Amino acid sequence: MAEENLVEIRGLHFARGEHVVLDGIDLHVPRGAVVAVMGASGGGKTTLLNLVAGSLQGQRGQVLVAGKDTTSLTRAELYRLRQQMGMLFQHSALFTDLSAFENVAFPLRRHFRLPESLLQKLVLMKLEAVGLRGAAQLMPAELSGGMARRVALARAVIMDPLLILYDEPFTGLDPISVGIIASLIRRLNDALGASSILVSHDVKETFAIADYGYILGGGKVIAEGSPDALRSSKSPMAQQFLQGSPEGPVPFHYPAATTFAQDLGLQVNK
Amino acid sequence: MNEFFIPRLGHVVWESVPRLGAATRLLLGGLGAVGNRHFSFRQWLREVYGLGVLSLALMIVAALFTGMVLGFQGYYALVRFGATSALGTLIALSLLRELGPVLTALLFAGRAGSALTAEIGSMKATEQLAAMEMMAVNPLAWVVAPRLWGGIFAVPILCVIFDLVGIFGGYLVSVPVLGVDGGTFWAQMQSNVTLSGDILNGLLKALCFGLIVTWIAVWQGFSAKPTAEGVGAATTRSVVMASLAVLGLDFILTALLF
Ligand SMILES: Nc1ncnc2c1ncn2[C@@H]1O[C@H](COP(=O)(O)OP(=O)(O)O)[C@@H](O)[C@H]1O
Ligand SMILES: [Mg+2]
């Protein structure tokens, strides 16, 4: 338990066929910190989380979680490591055939044989923490988007994980829910003594709760630092992302093999 | 047939090898996962009940009609030879050896198999399977194994029900309607139908069909494209593939067990 960083990523390279998604990423998550990973859609943020969780494997480089390289673990070892991880999926991913209560109870029921009264207490504690004890018996279809996200959050932390992964937890929520989720992420991280990786492109909310941030672009880390340092970053790519301007080094056009004029048949062949 | 036929056929076969490999791994992994600590007997029981009950009403209606039609058609053939006393035997043998297992499996594929594919496909599309993996619960044990074993168990039970209801339907037409002697109907059937040769033969078929239909359904769900459209397409594919597989396998089994 001596390492200072819970997650260490070194020179990570990941490609899908020809398409290079991550091209030599270095990233670390100190114990107790909330680390933000930002970047444009399709920039490989979800891929990065899957690499940390060991559901994908990079072609080069290392991903160390609590000192273990997730690429070299057997399935059983990986599952043991995952019992110490929680993940909040982009679309909540609640089990549609189980109530909110049973969704949160699911990991406990699968991994431990607890007396029902104890299980009840543990689950209600987590539901209370996300403010949804009253909604325990509702089915996922009866929950609003923000409530579903909070139930999923309670489920992600039910095993008191060391590491919590958040995949765009603010997307598609109203401003009030965004604020609630943001403060929950910080509070749960500190209360559990966990570390968090927060993937998002919501600059304002993310900077309000993160200790450190990385901005990805073109498969590389284009800027990193504390929120303040990032705001005053000189990198034009980072500035374009933070200000959300369409003009800048990040191209608006998807690369095409032919020019626009050629596609329109305007080029005269000689 | 043009000159590209052979290379294209080769290509199709070559392309399907890895997919077949993945499907086989899913089957073996799923069947083997009964030993996994995340396999739940309760979950299996729920599947047997769910899959069985889903198709039960359909089975009963279909079996009744099938049996009644067999009564008419059998009578039509046998009356020419003055052998209508064998009508009960004919109906029972047709159902037990052939129509029971095959029709049960086809109806099961259309009703329960399609529902299974749609369920697993949408679990995939909404990241429920990925979430399960992240919670260190193996979907092979929690999702696949109970369904595979559920199907293997449910189809033979449904087949027995189909056979019984079908024979009853045949009786309704033969005895009260067509005037065959009731005593002869049952007595002939009893003395000519054998346990191992006919009844177990049919149940063995039903078992194999249950396995293959459920396997295809689960596999199609797992390999569905994770979109609403992809799940719909997988559901259709599941029913078409399973129906063809049942008919093909039926030929092989019949030839082997003849
Ligand atoms: N299952 C997949 N198959 C093929 N390509 C994928 C798949 N998932 C993601 N990609 C591609 O990988 C890239 C990174 O995707 P992703 O990590 O989801 O980005 P982000 O989460 O940052 O929006 C994208 O270009 C996407 O098209
Ligand atoms: Mg993403």
Side-chain angles (χ1 to χ4, degrees), chain A residues 16 19 21 39-48 90 167-168 199:
Chain A
R16 286 189 188 274
H19 179 48
V21 181
S41 281
K45 304 183 298 298
T46 300
T47 305
L48 183 69
Q90 207 162 340
D167 195 357
E168 301 194 12
V199 159

Side-chain angles (χ1 to χ4, degrees), chain A residues 61-74:
Chain A
Q62 270 188 318
V63 180
L64 300 174
V65 179
K68 298 195 183 71
D69 190 342
T70 58
T71 52
S72 62
L73 296 180
T74 65

Side-chain angles (χ1 to χ4, degrees), chain A residues 116-163:
Chain A
E116 194 62 27
S117 60
L118 177 58
L119 184 123
Q120 193 98 4
K121 273 191 203 117
L122 291 171
V123 172
L124 288 179
M125 247 159 66
K126 295 294 196 247
L127 279 172
E128 175 72 14
V130 298
L132 289 177
R133 190 170 42 82
Q137 294 316 320
L138 296 184
M139 297 302 284
E142 301 169 314
L143 301 171
S144 73
M147 287 160 79
R149 204 70 60 89
R150 277 145 74 190
V151 172
L153 182 51
R155 185 178 68 178
V157 298
I158 188 72
M159 303 274 283
D160 291 344
L162 283 178
L163 176 66

Side-chain angles (χ1 to χ4, degrees), chain B residues 102-192:
Chain B
V102 170
L103 290 179
T104 303
L106 292 178
L107 294 171
F108 184 81
R111 188 69 185 86
S114 60
L116 214 58
T117 304
E119 184 192 15
I120 294 181
S122 55
M123 284 180 85
K124 180 182 179 184
T126 55
E127 295 182 312
Q128 291 180 50
L129 294 177
M132 202 173 285
E133 283 262 9
M134 270 309 299
M135 290 182 254
V137 174
N138 191 342
L140 277 181
W142 184 254
V143 177
V144 176
R147 285 167 174 78
L148 277 178
W149 286 108
I152 292 172
F153 211 76
V155 173
I157 296 176
L158 289 170
C159 177
V160 168
I161 295 172
F162 192 106
D163 291 341
L164 292 176
V165 175
I167 290 171
F168 176 68
Y171 167 84
L172 284 184
V173 164
S174 313
V175 179
V177 179
L178 297 172
V180 174
D181 177 63
T184 326
F185 183 89
W186 293 119
Q188 275 266 352
M189 191 190 299
Q190 223 170 42
S191 55
N192 286 309

